[in-house]
Amino acid sequence: MTESRALPEWERISVLRAESEYESVKKEVRVAYLIWVFSGIFGGHRFYLGDTGRSIAMLFTLGGLGVWTLIDLFLIRGRVRAVNRARRAAVMARHGIIDVAFGSERRLGG
């Protein structure tokens, strides 16, 4: 039988602080789709997700004459997940926390 080990209070606070920071920078799928509806042809949703280079390309080509805009309809959800995964990893690394698939674990000896 394995015992679950509780984090010391200072580590728990560190994890909560990191989670709070992540929540403040995380992107929402609904917001990305809403921006896509109103400014998709200009790449507004890509600006929201931090894809500045592609956003500028969409801005000057009117979304690749609408082709990129339509393709993005199917790609936005996955792109939001990828952006959030990268942002979460960066936040957790900044706080010295190893982020595992189903939770967070404090790095030992670090």
Side-chain angles (χ1 to χ4, degrees):
M1 183 163 120
T2 60
E3 286 184 30
S4 65
R5 175 174 71 119
L7 290 174
E9 186 65 19
W10 65 273
E11 285 185 344
R12 191 178 71 74
I13 290 171
S14 180
V15 169
L16 290 174
R17 193 174 304 141
E19 288 290 343
S20 175
E21 183 180 337
Y22 167 68
E23 287 297 320
S24 72
V25 297
K26 137 176 143 169
K27 301 298 181 180
E28 297 291 332
V29 173
R30 279 181 260 170
V31 172
Y33 274 115
L34 190 64
I35 294 170
W36 176 84
V37 166
F38 291 107
S39 67
I41 201 156
F42 302 113
H45 57 291
R46 292 218 177 232
F47 278 112
Y48 172 69
L49 295 174
D51 294 334
T52 308
R54 290 182 181 143
S55 302
I56 291 171
M58 286 184 78
L59 182 65
F60 289 118
T61 63
L62 294 177
L65 298 177
V67 175
W68 292 344
T69 305
L70 288 175
I71 291 172
D72 279 351
L73 172 64
F74 303 102
L75 300 179
I76 288 175
R77 182 175 303 277
R79 184 65 188 132
V80 169
R81 278 193 211 126
V83 166
N84 283 340
R85 220 178 0 257
R87 285 174 178 240
R88 181 179 176 84
V91 167
M92 295 302 164
R94 202 169 26 255
H95 287 272
I97 298 169
I98 297 173
D99 201 26
V100 291
F102 299 105
S104 296
E105 176 181 309
R106 190 83 164 125
R107 184 182 341 198
L108 301 175

